[in-house]
Amino acid sequence: MKILVPIKRVVDFNVKVRVKPDGTGVDTANVKMSMNPFDEIAVEEAVRLKEKGVATEIVAVSCGIAACQETLRTALALGADRATLVETDVELQPLAVAKLLQAIVAQEQPGLVILGKQAIDDDANQTGQMLAALLGWPQATFASKVDVGDGRATVKREVDGGLETVEVKLPAVVTTDLRLNEPRYATLPNIMKAKKKPLATTTPATLGVDVTPRLVTLKVTEPAKRKGGGKVADVKELVAKLRTEAKVIA
């Protein structure tokens, strides 16, 4: 079985995000970029399935600018067999990414698509669900455990009320949650080997997908700074402040 793992290049989670002075977006100049942490978990799960003998090939795919090749090389160093970059300078939104992945799936014919439940830059949490809808495949989101066998995937997923176990027929789309696994580190020998692994490049036009943005970002602002707390002498003073200053009670 072939596994397709979509990954996204995002601002590293250790970096403090700064908004551009003109409010048009987030400043990414000279900022460390890395693989989306949820997608890193997806790569690790795909590699573990291959190590179990469930999968025979892992294909990593990313959509974005040419610099995304670095992120794909990281996926190759972690265990992916080959990679594909859909190169474009257009700002990609979830539906556009889902349509690009749909085209890649049509070419690759994987038995399973594993991707992060969301990206830490936009927190959209939409691509996996949209991809499953476009493909007409079953989906299992927020996976904390995945078992594959006999043409089915049994997925334990995290929901508001606790844990839910679902079974889906393959091919299917699975999105990963934080507690699914602990991603491994890429070793130096594997990093060197990754440089020789195949990395193909295509474009949205070649795939026949229109990626024109449907939404326009009007303005990006930093969240308001939290005000310092204070002490009150007694409950009476607390109630008075809640009524007159905070105005949260009548």
Side-chain angles (χ1 to χ4, degrees), residues 32-126:
K32 181 183 178 183
M33 309 293 284
S34 62
M35 187 189 304
N36 177 46
F38 290 101
D39 296 336
E40 196 172 1
I41 293 171
V43 173
E44 173 66 23
E45 191 64 22
V47 173
R48 293 188 183 188
L49 288 173
K50 185 179 179 182
E51 291 172 345
K52 292 177 182 177
V54 175
T56 55
E57 186 181 27
I58 301 170
V59 182
V61 58
S62 188
C63 308
I65 61 176
C68 292
Q69 291 187 28
E70 300 173 11
T71 311
L72 286 171
R73 290 294 178 192
T74 301
L76 293 172
L78 291 172
D81 298 295
R82 56 187 175 89
T84 299
L85 171 62
V86 183
E87 187 173 348
T88 177
D89 293 327
V90 177
E91 179 188 354
L92 295 174
Q93 295 171 353
L95 181 58
V97 175
K99 289 181 177 179
L100 291 172
L101 294 177
Q102 179 190 20
I104 295 293
V105 167
Q107 291 181 354
E108 296 289 349
Q109 295 295 312
L112 183 65
V113 178
I114 304 179
L115 67 160
K117 70 172 184 178
Q118 64 194 75
I120 62 172
D121 53 0
D122 57 15
D123 278 332
N125 187 9
Q126 296 174 349

